[in-house]
């Protein structure tokens, strides 16, 4: 039973809550407008920003950020933004010009800050010294992105500090669970089957973190074409090492990988999502779903 005083206190409180819609004091009138350069980064920003932030993504689902051509509408969106989130590590070669052309004063936040870049060395010296931008393919790295995003949002919108910290903590816990899921699944794949072919070299961080070897005829950017000699070398390698599966990607031309499959008898294991989320018709509209999808494709093809 409530005492009379408690009952009064309770009714006063409920009157206050009834008068003010829940959380109304916490919500800013206008959302913080931010830009993310590509879809995967956009999802990470949405998870940390929650409902205080409005995220516009430049390179959309299934888009290829290596070769993107920004539109005048993109310049307008960048001009209106309070923050511009980019991957960095040479991923968005077109971005600096876009930022300049837009005239924006918004800080450009490099989400990979603090990540040790992987450098590609393919034995031909082709991409020597070129950083590999695909850092998000390791979940541990995605956690570093999240920390950078949280800190930048707090700096731009200090009133949202509590919300951004809570959102980031909740999302980081999900990423921890995801990381465990990846390691448990890969542990089930026999060690001598943990190798496969993709078209461009987008999975180096995944390889380094989880111990699956990815061999790719195209370098870390899709701008460079694979040479006939590179393709011939890969075909020989697939045959010699008995690599069981080749994979397509959602952002690259499938013909090269199809040719390798044809000439080696390796099966096509499915489509991996490398540099972009899928649109609503696909099964990876979030970063977590993207990693889960890739994991399932790998495990299915390499264990059968
Ligand atoms: Zn790529």
């Amino acid at each position: 039973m409530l005492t009379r005083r408690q009952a009064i206190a309770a009714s006063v409180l409920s009157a206050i809550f009834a008068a003010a819609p829940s959380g109304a004091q916490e919500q800013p009138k206008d959302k913080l407008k931010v830009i993310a350069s590509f879809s995967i980064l956009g999802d990470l920003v949405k998870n940390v920003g929650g409902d205080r932030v409005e995220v516009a993504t430049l390179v959309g689902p299934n888009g290829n950020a290596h070769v993107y051509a920004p539109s005048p509408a993109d310049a307008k969106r960048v001009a209106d933004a309070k923050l511009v989130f980019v991957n960095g590590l040479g991923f968005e070669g077109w971005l600096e010009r876009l930022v300049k052309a837009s005239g924006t004063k918004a800080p450009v936040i490099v989400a990979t800050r603090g990540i040790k870049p992987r450098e590609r060395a393919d034995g031909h010296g082709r991409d020597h010294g070129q950083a590999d931008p695909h850092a998000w393919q390791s979940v541990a790295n995605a956690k570093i992105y999240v920390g950078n995003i949280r800190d930048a949002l707090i700096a731009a919108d200090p009133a949202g500090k509590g919300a951004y910290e809570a959102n980031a903590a909740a999302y980081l816990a999900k990423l921890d669970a995801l990381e465990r899921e990846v390691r448990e699944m890969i542990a089930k794949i026999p060690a001598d089957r943990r190798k496969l072919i993709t078209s461009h070299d987008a999975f180096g961080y995944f390889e380094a973190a989880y111990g699956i070897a990815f061999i790719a005829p195209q370098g870390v950017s899709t701008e460079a074409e694979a040479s006939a000699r590179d393709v011939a070398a890969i075909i020989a390698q697939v045959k010699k090492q008995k690599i069981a599966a080749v994979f397509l990607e959602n952002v690259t031309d499938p013909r090269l990988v199809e040719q390798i499959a044809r000439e080696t008898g390796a099966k096509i294991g499915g489509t991996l999502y490398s540099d972009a989320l899928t649109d609503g018709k696909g099964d990876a509209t979030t970063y977590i779903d993207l990693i889960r999808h890739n994991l399932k494709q790998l495990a299915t093809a390499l264990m059968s």
Side-chain angles (χ1 to χ4, degrees):
M1 283 291 287
L2 295 178
T3 65
R4 195 179 141 72
R5 247 170 105 155
Q6 282 169 331
I8 291 171
S11 71
V12 169
L13 279 177
S14 64
I16 291 170
F17 282 119
S22 80
Q25 291 160 309
E26 305 257 321
Q27 295 304 319
K29 245 164 116 192
D30 295 309
K31 294 191 181 198
L32 185 73
K33 283 189 177 176
V34 307
I35 292 283
S37 59
F38 71 117
S39 56
I40 295 169
L41 182 57
D43 179 53
L44 300 180
V45 175
K46 277 178 202 160
N47 273 285
V48 181
D51 49 17
R52 295 184 72 87
V53 171
E54 186 183 316
V55 186
T57 297
L58 298 177
V59 184
N62 299 315
N64 183 345
H66 293 290
V67 292
Y68 186 66
S71 67
D74 289 333
K76 170 93 176 60
R77 288 193 290 170
V78 171
D80 291 345
K82 292 282 183 288
L83 284 175
V84 179
F85 288 98
V86 304
N87 184 75
L89 302 177
F91 189 49
E92 307 98 335
W94 39 269
L95 192 111
E96 204 180 309
R97 261 174 58 193
L98 173 64
V99 165
K100 211 173 249 177
S102 76
T104 186
K105 298 275 185 299
V108 176
I109 309 299
V110 177
T112 54
R113 196 167 58 90
I115 289 172
K116 187 175 180 294
R118 169 189 174 263
E119 283 194 10
R120 182 193 148 87
D122 64 357
H124 303 290
R126 183 175 54 197
D127 290 326
H128 268 302
Q130 188 181 350
D132 176 351
H134 308 89
W136 61 85
Q137 290 292 351
S138 138
V139 178
N141 283 346
K143 291 172 61 182
I144 298 176
Y145 283 61
V146 167
N148 288 331
I149 292 164
R150 176 198 58 211
D151 295 348
L153 289 175
I154 292 171
D157 173 25
K161 184 170 190 280
Y164 299 134
E165 284 175 345
N167 294 346
Y171 189 60
L172 288 170
K174 287 186 193 171
L175 294 182
D176 281 333
L178 180 66
E179 171 103 31
R180 282 195 296 277
E181 212 179 299
V182 174
R183 292 189 184 283
E184 281 165 20
M185 179 70 93
I186 288 173
K188 291 180 190 159
I189 303 172
D192 64 341
R193 294 183 66 88
R194 292 180 199 163
K195 53 197 174 191
L196 57 101
I197 305 287
T198 54
S199 44
H200 92 294
D201 190 10
F203 295 93
Y205 293 90
F206 190 100
E207 173 171 339
Y210 309 118
I212 295 232
F214 287 77
I215 300 148
Q218 270 187 300
V220 291
S221 172
T222 60
E223 283 175 285
E225 298 238 336
S227 71
R229 198 176 132 206
D230 293 337
V231 175
I234 283 181
I235 286 172
Q237 192 176 4
V238 170
K239 287 179 177 164
K240 188 164 160 231
Q241 299 188 354
K242 300 189 173 58
I243 293 172
V246 300
F247 285 86
L248 309 177
E249 293 171 42
N250 61 332
V251 301
T252 55
D253 189 327
R255 283 174 296 185
L256 187 55
V257 162
E258 284 166 354
Q259 180 199 344
I260 293 169
R262 232 177 11 251
E263 294 191 22
T264 60
K267 70 179 166 218
I268 293 180
T271 299
L272 297 179
Y273 303 145
S274 48
D275 296 11
L277 301 175
T278 65
D279 60 20
K281 293 185 208 113
D283 54 3
T285 55
T286 68
Y287 171 73
I288 288 177
D289 285 345
L290 174 146
I291 295 287
R292 284 211 175 110
H293 164 92
N294 287 349
L295 187 63
K296 200 170 139 201
Q297 299 281 305
L298 295 177
T300 307
L302 299 181
M303 286 199 281
S304 60

